[in-house]
């Protein structure tokens, strides 16, 4: 089924102007049959004005006639150029199967232990998790902390090896640049100057100064 513009307004028009079943209208408009029934009962979309999908170029008269003649027939919408233009170009969020979601805390713990240079934002994007979850794993306040063990996300099947290597490489390069901006390694503290101490007596010093004076050298030899 092709997405159509203003599905509820289209459903309102179909309820008021055709003999289509609720299931047929729901299938074409992407709504639940009970929601279409609510429209027919006046409980849903009371203030919405119906929009003719044929006039709007989203449905052909031939398709409508086929559906009204056969309640099992499901109408096919005309591909709308406007609908395609209105579609968001933003990629869909990463989906992780339910069976794998319980493994994400283990992968987060692996990053926390082995690659602290990887930011929470990078981990969140790679694993499809939230920063809040990462924080609880790091602080060991996660509800399942007792059972969380660091495991390589590649081993868990959450990401591919190439994607992991690329992430770790980018994180390491960014950390190196940040360290360089901060001035690199911290300079070692220079030892404080030592106060001048009395020079140590060296035997050779006596030879340079001459022999110690004696009584004879000062007063002369006695007769």
């Amino acid at each position: 089924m092709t997405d159509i513009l203003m599905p509820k307004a289209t459903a309102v028009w179909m309820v008021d102007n055709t003999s289509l079943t609720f299931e047929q209208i729901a299938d074409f408009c992407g709504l639940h049959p009970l929601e279409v029934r609510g429209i027919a009962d006046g409980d849903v979309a009371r203030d919405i004005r119906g929009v003719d999908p044929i006039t709007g170029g989203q449905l052909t008269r031939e398709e409508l006639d086929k559906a009204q003649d056969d309640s099992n027939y499901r109408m096919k919408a005309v591909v709308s150029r406007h609908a395609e233009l209105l579609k968001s170009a933003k990629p869909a969020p990463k989906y992780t199967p339910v069976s794998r979601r319980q493994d994400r805390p283990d992968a987060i713990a692996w990053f926390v232990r082995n690659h602290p240079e990887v930011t929470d934002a990078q981990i969140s994007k790679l694993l499809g998790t939230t920063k809040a979850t990462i924080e609880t794993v790091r602080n060991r306040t996660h509800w399942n902390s007792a059972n969380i063990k660091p495991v390589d996300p590649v081993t868990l099947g959450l990401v591919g090896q190439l994607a992991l290597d690329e992430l770790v490489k980018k994180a390491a390069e960014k950390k190196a640049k940040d360290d360089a901006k901060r001035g690199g390694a911290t300079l070692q503290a220079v030892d404080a100057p030592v106060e001048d101490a009395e020079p140590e007596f060296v035997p050779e010093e006596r030879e340079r100064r001459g022999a110690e004076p004696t009584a004879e050298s000062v007063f002369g030899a006695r007769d």
Side-chain angles (χ1 to χ4, degrees), residues 19-25 27 63-76:
S19 59
L20 297 170
T21 66
F22 296 152
E23 287 75 15
Q24 287 175 307
I25 297 174
D27 180 79
E63 279 291 297
L64 180 59
D65 291 340
K66 286 181 182 179
Q68 292 186 113
D69 293 337
D70 181 4
S71 61
N72 294 320
Y73 184 78
R74 297 294 180 263
M75 296 176 293
K76 297 178 178 63

Side-chain angles (χ1 to χ4, degrees), residues 44-95:
V44 179
R46 291 181 180 179
D47 300 327
I48 295 179
R49 184 178 180 180
V51 174
D52 185 351
I54 298 176
T55 304
Q58 300 188 84
L59 181 67
T60 63
R61 173 60 65 178
E62 291 74 16
E63 279 291 297
L64 180 59
D65 291 340
K66 286 181 182 179
Q68 292 186 113
D69 293 337
D70 181 4
S71 61
N72 294 320
Y73 184 78
R74 297 294 180 263
M75 296 176 293
K76 297 178 178 63
V78 176
V79 177
S80 172
R81 183 174 65 86
H82 298 289
E84 292 296 325
L85 292 176
L86 290 175
K87 285 184 178 179
S88 175
K90 185 178 180 180
K94 181 181 177 64
Y95 173 76

